[in-house]
Amino acid sequence: MAEVLQSLAQLGDVAKPEQPAAPVHVKKVDAQGRAYATGKRKNAIARVWIKPGSGKVIVNGRDQEIYFARPVLRLVLKQPLQLVDRVTQYDVVVSVKGGGLSGQAGAVRHGISKALTHYEPELRGPLKKEGFLTRDSRVVERKKFGKAKARRSFQFSKR
């Protein structure tokens, strides 16, 4: 049975229960030396493989400049690599589907961030601090009956 404490001084002598150790993140690579991760944003799903290389990014078999023509989308893609100064150290191969280009770019960014943490677990801290490892769970709200869109009502007419 548990012992009864008579004073606060005895409280320090009581054995504390063991705290579980923090999870240790290990390097996860396949037989070809690639790290794999899945990124998601809106309805887009990106499968991302990274391996050491010259900094090429291939999206659905095409170069990133061709697939993501807008510079803002390419900027979104490069954010995790620029944050950890690895822009020219890894080749990235991406297969992305679903959603629009903006959602796909966000999914690729999420996938690259996760794949970087699989390849170099010590990069988890800075990427998590910037929020790149968190899946943005916002999705389009569904349309309701009796409404023009999700919340917009039809135009009111008095007569």
Side-chain angles (χ1 to χ4, degrees):
M1 187 164 160
E3 60 187 71
V4 179
L5 300 176
Q6 301 297 330
S7 69
L8 288 175
Q10 292 177 337
L11 189 61
D13 300 335
V14 177
K16 295 182 180 110
E18 293 248 348
Q19 289 283 339
V24 177
H25 299 283
V26 294
K27 185 175 180 177
K28 293 186 218 171
V29 293
D30 60 6
Q32 287 89 17
R34 302 175 300 182
Y36 169 78
T38 304
K40 295 181 180 182
R41 169 82 169 95
K42 293 186 178 179
N43 283 334
I45 300 172
R47 299 183 303 161
V48 179
W49 292 268
I50 65 166
K51 62 181 179 182
S54 60
K56 272 195 306 188
V57 179
I58 305 295
V59 182
N60 287 352
R62 292 184 276 184
D63 196 35
Q64 68 168 346
E65 280 83 16
I66 297 169
Y67 193 85
F68 293 112
R70 282 187 269 161
V72 174
L73 299 178
R74 290 196 302 270
L75 181 87
V76 168
L77 249 63
K78 293 284 187 187
Q79 281 178 332
L81 293 167
Q82 287 174 342
L83 178 69
V84 294
D85 296 327
R86 304 285 196 279
V87 177
T88 59
Q89 293 183 15
Y90 292 111
D91 284 343
V92 181
V93 179
V94 182
S95 171
V96 64
K97 63 181 178 181
L101 285 178
S102 178
Q104 287 184 351
V108 172
R109 180 178 85 168
H110 185 223
I112 289 174
S113 302
K114 284 173 63 176
L116 277 171
T117 60
H118 291 325
Y119 203 88
E120 291 186 61
E122 62 272 7
L123 298 179
R124 183 173 171 82
L127 289 170
K128 188 167 177 66
K129 185 178 175 203
E130 287 296 318
F132 293 153
L133 296 178
T134 305
R135 191 240 198 258
D136 191 352
S137 60
R138 296 176 297 170
V139 292
V140 177
E141 188 176 353
R142 77 172 189 85
K143 182 194 177 303
K144 279 75 168 189
F145 59 89
K147 296 280 188 179
K149 296 175 16 179
R151 298 185 183 202
R152 172 141 173 39
S153 298
F154 296 110
Q155 183 172 347
F156 176 74
S157 174
K158 191 178 262 191
R159 291 181 249 294

